[in-house]
Amino acid sequence: MTPWQEFVSTHTEGGVLDGVVARVLPFGAFVEVADGIHGLLVTDAAPEPGTRLPVRIEAIDVERRRFSLVKA
C-alpha cells in the first residue's frame, strides 16, 4: 500500500490533523500532514513555512490524489 492509499484509508473528510506549512502560494499553502503527504490549505492569510497548525480535511479527491484543508 502506498503512503497515499494508507492515508486515505485511515482519514476521512472532517477529520482534524496537525500539519506543518511546507510551501506558501498566492492562493494558500501546502501543508504536510503526514510523511510526504501534503494538502492544500486555501486561505487569504497564509502562515509562514514551518508553522505548525491544526487543519481539518474539507474534501478528498481520490482519483486525482488531492485533498483540501481548512484551518481547524
Side-chain angles (χ1 to χ4, degrees):
M1 186 178 289
T2 68
W4 168 256
Q5 291 169 324
E6 185 176 330
F7 180 84
V8 297
S9 71
T10 57
H11 296 84
T12 59
E13 292 176 3
V16 177
L17 306 164
D18 282 328
V20 177
V21 176
R23 188 170 48 153
V24 177
L25 302 168
F27 51 85
F30 281 100
V31 177
E32 184 172 32
V33 294
D35 191 28
I37 306 294
H38 296 81
L40 179 61
L41 172 66
V42 179
T43 179
D44 292 334
E48 294 293 318
T51 302
R52 180 172 292 282
L53 62 131
V55 292
R56 183 173 52 83
I57 300 172
E58 185 174 67
I60 298 174
D61 184 341
V62 176
E63 289 181 16
R64 295 174 67 193
R65 296 180 54 138
R66 296 180 181 182
F67 63 98
S68 59
L69 304 167
V70 294
K71 287 186 181 178

